[in-house]
mmCIF file of all heavy atoms in Angstrom:
data_model
loop_
_atom_site.group_PDB
_atom_site.id
_atom_site.type_symbol
_atom_site.label_atom_id
_atom_site.label_comp_id
_atom_site.label_asym_id
_atom_site.label_seq_id
_atom_site.Cartn_x
_atom_site.Cartn_y
_atom_site.Cartn_z
ATOM 1 N N ARG A 1061 65.867 -0.511 2.147
ATOM 2 C CA ARG A 1061 64.877 -1.582 2.167
ATOM 3 C C ARG A 1061 63.616 -1.038 2.853
ATOM 4 O O ARG A 1061 63.385 -1.283 4.043
ATOM 5 C CB ARG A 1061 65.422 -2.803 2.902
ATOM 6 C CG ARG A 1061 66.483 -3.538 2.069
ATOM 7 C CD ARG A 1061 66.908 -4.825 2.715
ATOM 8 N NE ARG A 1061 67.730 -5.600 1.790
ATOM 9 C CZ ARG A 1061 68.728 -6.378 2.150
ATOM 10 N NH1 ARG A 1061 69.051 -6.488 3.417
ATOM 11 N NH2 ARG A 1061 69.406 -7.067 1.255
ATOM 12 N N PRO A 1062 62.803 -0.309 2.105
ATOM 13 C CA PRO A 1062 61.638 0.342 2.712
ATOM 14 C C PRO A 1062 60.638 -0.631 3.321
ATOM 15 O O PRO A 1062 59.861 -0.237 4.201
ATOM 16 C CB PRO A 1062 61.023 1.125 1.544
ATOM 17 C CG PRO A 1062 61.588 0.520 0.318
ATOM 18 C CD PRO A 1062 62.945 0.017 0.676
ATOM 19 N N ALA A 1063 60.647 -1.884 2.878
ATOM 20 C CA ALA A 1063 59.709 -2.865 3.416
ATOM 21 C C ALA A 1063 60.299 -3.677 4.566
ATOM 22 O O ALA A 1063 59.644 -4.583 5.082
ATOM 23 C CB ALA A 1063 59.241 -3.802 2.303
ATOM 24 N N ALA A 1064 61.526 -3.369 4.978
ATOM 25 C CA ALA A 1064 62.173 -4.148 6.033
ATOM 26 C C ALA A 1064 61.410 -4.008 7.347
ATOM 27 O O ALA A 1064 60.833 -2.968 7.658
ATOM 28 C CB ALA A 1064 63.613 -3.680 6.217
ATOM 29 N N ASP A 1065 61.430 -5.075 8.136
ATOM 30 C CA ASP A 1065 60.725 -5.084 9.417
ATOM 31 C C ASP A 1065 61.448 -4.286 10.494
ATOM 32 O O ASP A 1065 60.825 -3.847 11.460
ATOM 33 C CB ASP A 1065 60.560 -6.530 9.920
ATOM 34 C CG ASP A 1065 59.733 -7.384 8.992
ATOM 35 O OD1 ASP A 1065 58.825 -6.827 8.329
ATOM 36 O OD2 ASP A 1065 59.988 -8.597 8.919
ATOM 37 N N ARG A 1066 62.763 -4.129 10.357
ATOM 38 C CA ARG A 1066 63.536 -3.495 11.411
ATOM 39 C C ARG A 1066 64.771 -2.856 10.811
ATOM 40 O O ARG A 1066 65.089 -3.046 9.630
ATOM 41 C CB ARG A 1066 63.941 -4.522 12.462
ATOM 42 C CG ARG A 1066 64.737 -5.694 11.904
ATOM 43 C CD ARG A 1066 64.930 -6.771 12.946
ATOM 44 N NE ARG A 1066 65.625 -7.933 12.398
ATOM 45 C CZ ARG A 1066 65.904 -9.016 13.102
ATOM 46 N NH1 ARG A 1066 65.563 -9.095 14.365
ATOM 47 N NH2 ARG A 1066 66.538 -10.025 12.545
ATOM 48 N N ARG A 1067 65.493 -2.131 11.653
ATOM 49 C CA ARG A 1067 66.676 -1.408 11.176
ATOM 50 C C ARG A 1067 67.815 -1.581 12.185
ATOM 51 O O ARG A 1067 67.601 -1.562 13.398
ATOM 52 C CB ARG A 1067 66.334 0.075 11.017
ATOM 53 C CG ARG A 1067 67.451 0.924 10.472
ATOM 54 C CD ARG A 1067 66.991 2.358 10.234
ATOM 55 N NE ARG A 1067 66.225 2.496 9.001
ATOM 56 C CZ ARG A 1067 64.970 2.925 8.933
ATOM 57 N NH1 ARG A 1067 64.313 3.249 10.030
ATOM 58 N NH2 ARG A 1067 64.371 3.041 7.771
ATOM 59 N N LEU A 1068 69.016 -1.761 11.647
ATOM 60 C CA LEU A 1068 70.234 -1.809 12.453
ATOM 61 C C LEU A 1068 71.065 -0.589 12.106
ATOM 62 O O LEU A 1068 71.465 -0.411 10.950
ATOM 63 C CB LEU A 1068 71.022 -3.090 12.152
ATOM 64 C CG LEU A 1068 72.367 -3.241 12.869
ATOM 65 C CD1 LEU A 1068 72.165 -3.442 14.370
ATOM 66 C CD2 LEU A 1068 73.171 -4.416 12.279
ATOM 67 N N ILE A 1069 71.324 0.271 13.090
ATOM 68 C CA ILE A 1069 72.131 1.470 12.876
ATOM 69 C C ILE A 1069 73.497 1.248 13.518
ATOM 70 O O ILE A 1069 73.594 0.970 14.717
ATOM 71 C CB ILE A 1069 71.458 2.718 13.454
ATOM 72 C CG1 ILE A 1069 70.081 2.913 12.803
ATOM 73 C CG2 ILE A 1069 72.332 3.952 13.239
ATOM 74 C CD1 ILE A 1069 69.311 4.118 13.319
ATOM 75 N N CYS A 1070 74.548 1.364 12.706
ATOM 76 C CA CYS A 1070 75.905 1.008 13.121
ATOM 77 C C CYS A 1070 76.764 2.252 13.352
ATOM 78 O O CYS A 1070 76.688 3.213 12.580
ATOM 79 C CB CYS A 1070 76.561 0.125 12.054
ATOM 80 S SG CYS A 1070 75.610 -1.368 11.644
ATOM 81 N N PHE A 1071 77.588 2.187 14.382
ATOM 82 C CA PHE A 1071 78.466 3.294 14.772
ATOM 83 C C PHE A 1071 79.911 2.829 14.650
ATOM 84 O O PHE A 1071 80.316 1.867 15.315
ATOM 85 C CB PHE A 1071 78.182 3.714 16.212
ATOM 86 C CG PHE A 1071 76.829 4.329 16.449
ATOM 87 C CD1 PHE A 1071 75.678 3.563 16.387
ATOM 88 C CD2 PHE A 1071 76.712 5.684 16.734
ATOM 89 C CE1 PHE A 1071 74.423 4.126 16.620
ATOM 90 C CE2 PHE A 1071 75.467 6.257 16.970
ATOM 91 C CZ PHE A 1071 74.317 5.479 16.903
ATOM 92 N N PRO A 1072 80.729 3.503 13.832
ATOM 93 C CA PRO A 1072 82.105 3.030 13.582
ATOM 94 C C PRO A 1072 83.048 3.197 14.767
ATOM 95 O O PRO A 1072 82.826 3.982 15.689
ATOM 96 C CB PRO A 1072 82.572 3.901 12.406
ATOM 97 C CG PRO A 1072 81.341 4.498 11.829
ATOM 98 C CD PRO A 1072 80.377 4.629 12.973
ATOM 99 N N HIS A 1073 84.131 2.455 14.683
ATOM 100 C CA HIS A 1073 85.245 2.510 15.623
ATOM 101 C C HIS A 1073 86.070 3.774 15.386
ATOM 102 O O HIS A 1073 85.850 4.497 14.406
ATOM 103 C CB HIS A 1073 86.133 1.281 15.435
ATOM 104 C CG HIS A 1073 86.502 1.064 13.999
ATOM 105 N ND1 HIS A 1073 85.681 0.416 13.095
ATOM 106 C CD2 HIS A 1073 87.599 1.441 13.282
ATOM 107 C CE1 HIS A 1073 86.251 0.397 11.903
ATOM 108 N NE2 HIS A 1073 87.423 1.013 11.994
ATOM 109 N N ALA A 1074 87.031 4.028 16.254
ATOM 110 C CA ALA A 1074 87.945 5.156 16.074
ATOM 111 C C ALA A 1074 88.711 4.990 14.767
ATOM 112 O O ALA A 1074 89.274 3.931 14.494
ATOM 113 C CB ALA A 1074 88.916 5.241 17.247
ATOM 114 N N GLY A 1075 88.720 6.031 13.961
ATOM 115 C CA GLY A 1075 89.379 5.966 12.665
ATOM 116 C C GLY A 1075 88.530 5.318 11.592
ATOM 117 O O GLY A 1075 88.970 5.197 10.448
ATOM 118 N N GLY A 1076 87.319 4.892 11.939
ATOM 119 C CA GLY A 1076 86.454 4.204 10.989
ATOM 120 C C GLY A 1076 85.445 5.136 10.338
ATOM 121 O O GLY A 1076 85.334 6.317 10.678
ATOM 122 N N SER A 1077 84.705 4.585 9.394
ATOM 123 C CA SER A 1077 83.681 5.355 8.694
ATOM 124 C C SER A 1077 82.488 4.458 8.404
ATOM 125 O O SER A 1077 82.530 3.238 8.626
ATOM 126 C CB SER A 1077 84.229 5.924 7.380
ATOM 127 O OG SER A 1077 84.395 4.892 6.424
ATOM 128 N N ALA A 1078 81.430 5.050 7.890
ATOM 129 C CA ALA A 1078 80.226 4.295 7.555
ATOM 130 C C ALA A 1078 80.517 3.206 6.533
ATOM 131 O O ALA A 1078 79.824 2.184 6.478
ATOM 132 C CB ALA A 1078 79.155 5.246 7.030
ATOM 133 N N ASN A 1079 81.547 3.409 5.733
ATOM 134 C CA ASN A 1079 81.892 2.449 4.688
ATOM 135 C C ASN A 1079 82.245 1.077 5.261
ATOM 136 O O ASN A 1079 82.144 0.052 4.568
ATOM 137 C CB ASN A 1079 83.070 2.980 3.871
ATOM 138 C CG ASN A 1079 83.230 2.255 2.552
ATOM 139 O OD1 ASN A 1079 82.258 2.048 1.829
ATOM 140 N ND2 ASN A 1079 84.461 1.877 2.228
ATOM 141 N N PHE A 1080 82.654 1.022 6.520
ATOM 142 C CA PHE A 1080 83.011 -0.245 7.159
ATOM 143 C C PHE A 1080 81.838 -1.229 7.141
ATOM 144 O O PHE A 1080 82.034 -2.442 7.120
ATOM 145 C CB PHE A 1080 83.442 0.034 8.596
ATOM 146 C CG PHE A 1080 83.912 -1.157 9.377
ATOM 147 C CD1 PHE A 1080 85.196 -1.670 9.195
ATOM 148 C CD2 PHE A 1080 83.083 -1.785 10.298
ATOM 149 C CE1 PHE A 1080 85.637 -2.776 9.920
ATOM 150 C CE2 PHE A 1080 83.522 -2.881 11.030
ATOM 151 C CZ PHE A 1080 84.794 -3.383 10.839
ATOM 152 N N PHE A 1081 80.602 -0.700 7.122
ATOM 153 C CA PHE A 1081 79.415 -1.539 7.225
ATOM 154 C C PHE A 1081 78.687 -1.699 5.889
ATOM 155 O O PHE A 1081 77.558 -2.191 5.863
ATOM 156 C CB PHE A 1081 78.447 -0.928 8.247
ATOM 157 C CG PHE A 1081 79.075 -0.648 9.587
ATOM 158 C CD1 PHE A 1081 79.510 0.628 9.923
ATOM 159 C CD2 PHE A 1081 79.238 -1.664 10.520
ATOM 160 C CE1 PHE A 1081 80.092 0.889 11.154
ATOM 161 C CE2 PHE A 1081 79.819 -1.410 11.756
ATOM 162 C CZ PHE A 1081 80.245 -0.142 12.069
ATOM 163 N N ARG A 1082 79.319 -1.315 4.776
ATOM 164 C CA ARG A 1082 78.604 -1.240 3.506
ATOM 165 C C ARG A 1082 78.073 -2.586 3.027
ATOM 166 O O ARG A 1082 77.073 -2.634 2.291
ATOM 167 C CB ARG A 1082 79.515 -0.634 2.432
ATOM 168 C CG ARG A 1082 80.709 -1.495 2.051
ATOM 169 C CD ARG A 1082 81.635 -0.787 1.075
ATOM 170 N NE ARG A 1082 82.757 -1.620 0.662
ATOM 171 C CZ ARG A 1082 83.860 -1.800 1.362
ATOM 172 N NH1 ARG A 1082 83.993 -1.184 2.526
ATOM 173 N NH2 ARG A 1082 84.832 -2.577 0.931
ATOM 174 N N ASP A 1083 78.700 -3.694 3.399
ATOM 175 C CA ASP A 1083 78.273 -5.000 2.893
ATOM 176 C C ASP A 1083 77.405 -5.775 3.884
ATOM 177 O O ASP A 1083 77.046 -6.921 3.633
ATOM 178 C CB ASP A 1083 79.508 -5.851 2.540
ATOM 179 C CG ASP A 1083 80.343 -5.230 1.430
ATOM 180 O OD1 ASP A 1083 79.751 -4.597 0.532
ATOM 181 O OD2 ASP A 1083 81.579 -5.362 1.479
ATOM 182 N N TRP A 1084 77.051 -5.161 4.988
ATOM 183 C CA TRP A 1084 76.343 -5.889 6.025
ATOM 184 C C TRP A 1084 74.893 -6.201 5.673
ATOM 185 O O TRP A 1084 74.265 -7.039 6.315
ATOM 186 C CB TRP A 1084 76.393 -5.112 7.339
ATOM 187 C CG TRP A 1084 77.699 -5.239 8.046
ATOM 188 C CD1 TRP A 1084 78.930 -5.430 7.491
ATOM 189 C CD2 TRP A 1084 77.912 -5.158 9.455
ATOM 190 N NE1 TRP A 1084 79.900 -5.480 8.464
ATOM 191 C CE2 TRP A 1084 79.305 -5.315 9.674
ATOM 192 C CE3 TRP A 1084 77.078 -4.969 10.544
ATOM 193 C CZ2 TRP A 1084 79.868 -5.291 10.941
ATOM 194 C CZ3 TRP A 1084 77.631 -4.938 11.809
ATOM 195 C CH2 TRP A 1084 79.016 -5.107 12.009
ATOM 196 N N ALA A 1085 74.337 -5.510 4.698
ATOM 197 C CA ALA A 1085 72.927 -5.713 4.360
ATOM 198 C C ALA A 1085 72.678 -7.036 3.647
ATOM 199 O O ALA A 1085 71.551 -7.522 3.605
ATOM 200 C CB ALA A 1085 72.430 -4.561 3.479
ATOM 201 N N ALA A 1086 73.712 -7.641 3.094
ATOM 202 C CA ALA A 1086 73.541 -8.881 2.334
ATOM 203 C C ALA A 1086 73.044 -10.002 3.244
ATOM 204 O O ALA A 1086 73.545 -10.190 4.342
ATOM 205 C CB ALA A 1086 74.859 -9.283 1.675
ATOM 206 N N GLY A 1087 72.053 -10.730 2.768
ATOM 207 C CA GLY A 1087 71.602 -11.925 3.472
ATOM 208 C C GLY A 1087 70.575 -11.699 4.554
ATOM 209 O O GLY A 1087 70.074 -12.662 5.138
ATOM 210 N N ARG A 1088 70.224 -10.457 4.863
ATOM 211 C CA ARG A 1088 69.204 -10.191 5.878
ATOM 212 C C ARG A 1088 68.157 -9.238 5.292
ATOM 213 O O ARG A 1088 68.079 -8.063 5.658
ATOM 214 C CB ARG A 1088 69.830 -9.597 7.139
ATOM 215 C CG ARG A 1088 70.806 -10.502 7.881
ATOM 216 C CD ARG A 1088 70.172 -11.814 8.321
ATOM 217 N NE ARG A 1088 69.084 -11.611 9.267
ATOM 218 C CZ ARG A 1088 69.137 -11.943 10.560
ATOM 219 N NH1 ARG A 1088 70.235 -12.499 11.055
ATOM 220 N NH2 ARG A 1088 68.103 -11.749 11.338
ATOM 221 N N PRO A 1089 67.320 -9.718 4.360
ATOM 222 C CA PRO A 1089 66.374 -8.823 3.676
ATOM 223 C C PRO A 1089 65.341 -8.205 4.595
ATOM 224 O O PRO A 1089 64.729 -7.188 4.256
ATOM 225 C CB PRO A 1089 65.708 -9.740 2.635
ATOM 226 C CG PRO A 1089 65.892 -11.119 3.163
ATOM 227 C CD PRO A 1089 67.211 -11.105 3.868
ATOM 228 N N GLU A 1090 65.130 -8.787 5.792
ATOM 229 C CA GLU A 1090 64.142 -8.223 6.712
ATOM 230 C C GLU A 1090 64.708 -7.057 7.520
ATOM 231 O O GLU A 1090 63.985 -6.414 8.287
ATOM 232 C CB GLU A 1090 63.627 -9.308 7.663
ATOM 233 C CG GLU A 1090 64.506 -9.613 8.860
ATOM 234 C CD GLU A 1090 65.816 -10.345 8.536
ATOM 235 O OE1 GLU A 1090 66.025 -10.723 7.366
ATOM 236 O OE2 GLU A 1090 66.632 -10.540 9.456
ATOM 237 N N THR A 1091 65.996 -6.771 7.336
ATOM 238 C CA THR A 1091 66.671 -5.726 8.119
ATOM 239 C C THR A 1091 67.310 -4.702 7.193
ATOM 240 O O THR A 1091 68.047 -5.059 6.271
ATOM 241 C CB THR A 1091 67.754 -6.338 9.019
ATOM 242 O OG1 THR A 1091 67.168 -7.320 9.873
ATOM 243 C CG2 THR A 1091 68.423 -5.270 9.862
ATOM 244 N N GLU A 1092 67.028 -3.439 7.437
ATOM 245 C CA GLU A 1092 67.727 -2.367 6.732
ATOM 246 C C GLU A 1092 68.911 -1.934 7.588
ATOM 247 O O GLU A 1092 68.737 -1.577 8.755
ATOM 248 C CB GLU A 1092 66.794 -1.187 6.485
ATOM 249 C CG GLU A 1092 67.461 -0.074 5.674
ATOM 250 C CD GLU A 1092 66.498 1.058 5.372
ATOM 251 O OE1 GLU A 1092 66.273 1.898 6.280
ATOM 252 O OE2 GLU A 1092 65.967 1.102 4.245
ATOM 253 N N VAL A 1093 70.098 -1.975 7.009
ATOM 254 C CA VAL A 1093 71.315 -1.607 7.720
ATOM 255 C C VAL A 1093 71.680 -0.166 7.377
ATOM 256 O O VAL A 1093 71.766 0.205 6.205
ATOM 257 C CB VAL A 1093 72.481 -2.545 7.367
ATOM 258 C CG1 VAL A 1093 73.765 -2.096 8.061
ATOM 259 C CG2 VAL A 1093 72.138 -3.985 7.761
ATOM 260 N N ALA A 1094 71.857 0.640 8.403
ATOM 261 C CA ALA A 1094 72.294 2.022 8.245
ATOM 262 C C ALA A 1094 73.587 2.205 9.033
ATOM 263 O O ALA A 1094 73.933 1.391 9.895
ATOM 264 C CB ALA A 1094 71.223 2.990 8.742
ATOM 265 N N ALA A 1095 74.303 3.275 8.729
ATOM 266 C CA ALA A 1095 75.573 3.530 9.431
ATOM 267 C C ALA A 1095 75.780 5.018 9.610
ATOM 268 O O ALA A 1095 75.388 5.827 8.764
ATOM 269 C CB ALA A 1095 76.741 2.917 8.661
ATOM 270 N N VAL A 1096 76.403 5.368 10.704
ATOM 271 C CA VAL A 1096 76.708 6.762 11.030
ATOM 272 C C VAL A 1096 78.031 7.149 10.375
ATOM 273 O O VAL A 1096 78.999 6.389 10.398
ATOM 274 C CB VAL A 1096 76.795 6.941 12.559
ATOM 275 C CG1 VAL A 1096 77.330 8.321 12.924
ATOM 276 C CG2 VAL A 1096 75.430 6.689 13.201
ATOM 277 N N GLN A 1097 78.037 8.336 9.779
ATOM 278 C CA GLN A 1097 79.279 8.877 9.219
ATOM 279 C C GLN A 1097 79.721 10.051 10.081
ATOM 280 O O GLN A 1097 79.067 11.104 10.111
ATOM 281 C CB GLN A 1097 79.056 9.347 7.775
ATOM 282 C CG GLN A 1097 80.324 9.796 7.063
ATOM 283 C CD GLN A 1097 81.193 8.627 6.651
ATOM 284 O OE1 GLN A 1097 81.736 7.922 7.503
ATOM 285 N NE2 GLN A 1097 81.337 8.406 5.366
ATOM 286 N N TYR A 1098 80.797 9.875 10.824
ATOM 287 C CA TYR A 1098 81.329 10.976 11.616
ATOM 288 C C TYR A 1098 81.947 12.024 10.679
ATOM 289 O O TYR A 1098 82.424 11.691 9.587
ATOM 290 C CB TYR A 1098 82.422 10.486 12.571
ATOM 291 C CG TYR A 1098 82.035 9.340 13.486
ATOM 292 C CD1 TYR A 1098 82.919 8.271 13.694
ATOM 293 C CD2 TYR A 1098 80.819 9.313 14.155
ATOM 294 C CE1 TYR A 1098 82.604 7.229 14.540
ATOM 295 C CE2 TYR A 1098 80.489 8.271 15.003
ATOM 296 C CZ TYR A 1098 81.380 7.220 15.187
ATOM 297 O OH TYR A 1098 81.060 6.183 16.020
ATOM 298 N N PRO A 1099 81.987 13.292 11.087
ATOM 299 C CA PRO A 1099 82.616 14.312 10.236
ATOM 300 C C PRO A 1099 84.133 14.151 10.197
ATOM 301 O O PRO A 1099 84.730 13.478 11.039
ATOM 302 C CB PRO A 1099 82.217 15.621 10.916
ATOM 303 C CG PRO A 1099 82.009 15.248 12.348
ATOM 304 C CD PRO A 1099 81.444 13.858 12.327
#
């Protein structure tokens, strides 16, 4: 969302991945949701 006013960067739990947050962007068009992918 290049026009978003702000960004939320998410860090997964133990055993988790960035995919846990894949649906979080819905309903908040003013926010771009990003997530960290651990190796």
Side-chain angles (χ1 to χ4, degrees):
R1061 287 187 170 146
D1065 298 329
R1066 57 188 177 181
R1067 183 175 281 120
L1068 177 68
I1069 301 179
C1070 305
F1071 293 70
H1073 50 277
S1077 72
N1079 196 47
F1080 183 79
F1081 307 99
R1082 67 185 182 279
D1083 297 326
W1084 282 30
R1088 296 302 297 250
E1090 82 289 355
T1091 303
E1092 183 177 80
V1093 177
V1096 171
Q1097 186 75 293
Y1098 306 137

